[in-house]
Amino acid sequence: MGATIDDVVARAREDDVRLIRFLYCDPSGVIRGKNVHVDRLASRMHEGVGLTRGQNAVNMLDHFVPIEGMEPVGEIRIVPDPDTYTLLDWVPRTAGLLCDQLGHDWTDWGSCTRSFLKRANDAAAAQGIRFMASLENEFYLAEEVGGVVRPYMDGPVYSSAGMDRVADVMDDIVSAVESQGLEVEQAINEYGPGQQEIAIRYADALRAADNQLKFRDAVRGVAEVEHGLIASFAAKPFADGVGSGAHIHFSPWSTDGSRNLLHDPEAGDRLLSPTGRQFVAGVLDHLPALVALTCPSFNSYERLRPQAWAGATVSWGLDNRECSVRVASSFRGREMESTNVELKACDPSCNPYLALGGLILAGLDGIARRLEPPDPATKDPSVMSPEEQQRCGIAPLPTSLRAALANLQADSVLFPALGDLLGRCIVGVRTAEIEQLEAMSPEEARLAHLRVF
């Protein structure tokens, strides 16, 4: 049984909390919310907090975008999930709750991204599938010196020197992430100057998306409030630095949690079970549209390029880090549990509810249509011969957000699943961002993303 309103209020009192943030992730990927005083917590959890219908039409640059049905007339409610309560250690006397956006009838009003993921989960459950996932985040630590933003510290990738130089910051970050109830599996310095990576243990899809919001806030909060630094989850914040991904590691399981449906001990060169192969085939089939949700920012397409370990093609393979879909080799003694697939064509500017919901629906469509994937790529797709590329179904992914949005609108599964209002919102908000960012210099556009994500 989950937590109740009374449980949350009692815990907030015990934690000596004064303000509780009612948080949500909008279609542009920005984490937003409102503060509620602890004395009003019980009533606001029961009633929800008012929010104008127009708020979801505010893009990442905080510009309001005219969208029919999202005028600044009428209200919805942000309603917290009691199970998501956590104390925010980096700010005084403050806790957080993650919220759904509901209409006055207490159902999705048409643009709740968390509800979209719930619908995808329900579709999976109807087929006997419980979807497990984790987002493996890369991010940059940076500092502003003399009005110039530059990476904070550097060291050889995966080196003791590189880890030493940011040890104090990373220790505080890991502590805050763990206090959010997340289990840290790995924390390392990555290839770019100032670039870090933290891997979180997997959970069911809704909790994985919730965890991503908690993770982003904790990293950013600790870096800014406790160390005076910038933590950026932008896909490509520095022109001469490598991009940052939020690789989605995923596996469909039986609903009772007893079987990983990707695993087949006899798979051999087939890599995955028949169900797993169908799921992957569905992801590959929809990937040119799916990247509008997993690589959703203007800046994403500076990262999503060949020979950048970003997965810039429709491709899959065993431990092939240039493929967009990597079958990860399992760990000895945990073969069934650890069999998973990694979507590399995803970055941390995404709204995780949209990214995971789209991924689930793409895979389920592959199962429904009994799709079969092409041959897996055994080397970098960009250096394969035309004959090899054809055999492995290699095709380029969109090179711009504008092209990805066009693919999304043309996709007969993903776009209708978003619903009319949310679909129009995503296209409208993102198109407005494109137009504003195209008017900037490349450096100005990168800096805009660096500051927001």
Side-chain angles (χ1 to χ4, degrees):
M1 184 176 179
T4 66
I5 292 176
D6 288 342
D7 293 334
V8 174
V9 173
R11 186 169 171 192
R13 293 292 188 189
E14 181 180 338
D15 290 339
D16 191 30
V17 164
R18 174 180 287 143
L19 296 175
I20 299 90
R21 296 178 183 176
F22 282 30
L23 300 167
Y24 64 93
C25 191
D26 73 7
S28 68
V30 178
I31 303 171
R32 303 186 191 270
K34 291 188 173 184
N35 272 322
V36 170
H37 193 279
V38 68
D39 291 344
R40 300 291 179 265
L41 179 58
S43 62
R44 292 297 180 262
M45 289 188 70
H46 176 73
E47 301 167 355
V49 168
L51 188 72
T52 175
R53 292 175 64 92
Q55 184 60 51
N56 270 15
V58 174
N59 68 14
M60 61 160 277
L61 300 171
D62 272 357
H63 287 201
F64 177 74
V65 182
I67 294 172
E68 185 180 355
M70 289 185 171
E71 299 83 2
V73 178
E75 277 204 340
I76 59 171
R77 299 288 183 259
I78 48 175
V79 181
D81 180 342
D83 287 334
T84 64
Y85 173 92
T86 45
L87 193 63
L88 308 184
D89 289 342
W90 57 94
V91 282
R93 302 185 66 185
T94 304
L97 285 160
L98 300 178
C99 301
D100 294 308
Q101 295 184 11
L102 305 179
H104 293 286
D105 61 357
W106 235 237
T107 63
D108 173 20
W109 70 289
S111 189
C112 176
T113 62
R114 199 167 186 262
S115 294
F116 169 68
L117 176 53
K118 287 181 177 181
R119 293 197 300 272
N121 275 340
D122 289 343
Q127 297 192 32
I129 294 173
R130 181 187 183 197
F131 193 83
M132 308 297 288
S134 177
L135 281 80
E136 179 184 80
N137 286 272
E138 296 162 337
F139 60 94
Y140 274 87
L141 293 176
E143 58 184 342
E144 187 169 355
V145 180
V148 177
V149 178
R150 65 186 189 191
Y152 177 74
M153 297 298 179
D154 190 18
V157 62
Y158 301 168
S159 69
S160 56
M163 288 185 276
D164 285 350
R165 290 165 191 166
V166 293
D168 58 335
V169 182
M170 291 297 285
D171 183 61
D172 288 342
I173 286 174
V174 169
S175 178
V177 168
E178 289 177 335
S179 76
Q180 303 304 296
L182 281 60
E183 185 177 341
V184 174
E185 294 194 329
Q186 206 168 257
I188 55 178
N189 71 301
E190 263 288 356
Y191 279 83
Q195 190 182 39
Q196 312 297 321
E197 176 184 288
I198 296 180
I200 303 298
R201 184 167 176 79
Y202 66 85
D204 69 86
L206 184 63
R207 289 300 171 227
D210 288 343
N211 288 347
Q212 177 69 354
L213 265 60
K214 293 180 179 183
F215 177 84
R216 278 175 49 187
D217 256 358
V219 174
R220 178 203 49 75
V222 169
E224 288 185 4
V225 176
E226 297 185 5
H227 293 273
L229 298 174
I230 299 167
S232 180
F233 287 91
K236 181 85 168 178
F238 297 106
D240 56 354
V242 301
S244 291
H247 309 149
I248 302 176
H249 288 262
F250 65 89
S251 51
W253 287 65
S254 59
T255 50
D256 64 2
S258 65
R259 289 185 301 115
N260 181 345
L261 302 181
L262 295 178
H263 179 64
D264 179 356
E266 307 300 325
D269 292 340
R270 292 181 295 109
L271 303 183
L272 298 169
S273 69
T275 297
R277 289 173 62 84
Q278 291 170 358
F279 195 99
V280 165
V283 172
L284 293 172
D285 188 55
H286 291 281
L287 195 55
L290 180 60
V291 291
L293 305 179
T294 61
C295 301
S297 69
F298 183 81
N299 184 240
S300 295
Y301 295 85
E302 290 197 50
R303 167 187 174 266
L304 198 63
R305 293 177 178 176
Q307 298 188 335
W309 293 25
T313 56
V314 176
S315 54
W316 78 301
L318 177 65
D319 281 334
N320 189 333
R321 284 174 167 79
E322 272 295 340
C323 285
S324 53
V325 177
R326 175 178 80 97
V327 178
S329 53
S330 59
F331 288 96
R332 186 173 64 175
R334 294 194 299 118
E335 286 80 5
M336 191 275 285
E337 178 195 355
S338 63
T339 298
N340 75 93
V341 175
E342 177 188 38
L343 177 64
K344 295 187 70 67
C346 181
D347 70 64
S349 69
C350 74
N351 176 313
Y353 304 108
L354 294 176
L356 287 174
L359 177 62
I360 292 168
L361 294 173
L364 292 180
D365 185 55
I367 294 174
R369 292 161 57 198
R370 299 182 182 275
L371 296 181
E372 184 65 17
D375 288 351
T378 57
K379 54 186 175 182
D380 181 345
S382 69
V383 301
M384 294 170 67
S385 69
E387 293 76 20
E388 290 173 319
Q389 290 180 338
Q390 183 176 18
R391 186 178 69 251
C392 295
I394 308 299
L397 284 173
T399 58
S400 71
L401 178 56
R402 198 182 295 277
L405 288 172
N407 289 343
L408 177 63
Q409 290 176 275
D411 192 288
S412 62
V413 172
L414 298 184
F415 199 64
L418 290 167
D420 174 65
L421 187 59
L422 181 56
R424 287 191 292 106
C425 174
I426 291 169
V427 173
V429 164
R430 293 302 187 185
T431 300
E433 290 173 0
I434 292 168
E435 292 170 353
Q436 289 177 252
L437 292 161
E438 282 180 339
M440 301 180 186
S441 71
E443 188 57 32
E444 288 172 333
R446 277 189 291 271
L447 186 60
H449 286 82
L450 183 150
R451 293 289 195 179
V452 171
F453 295 109

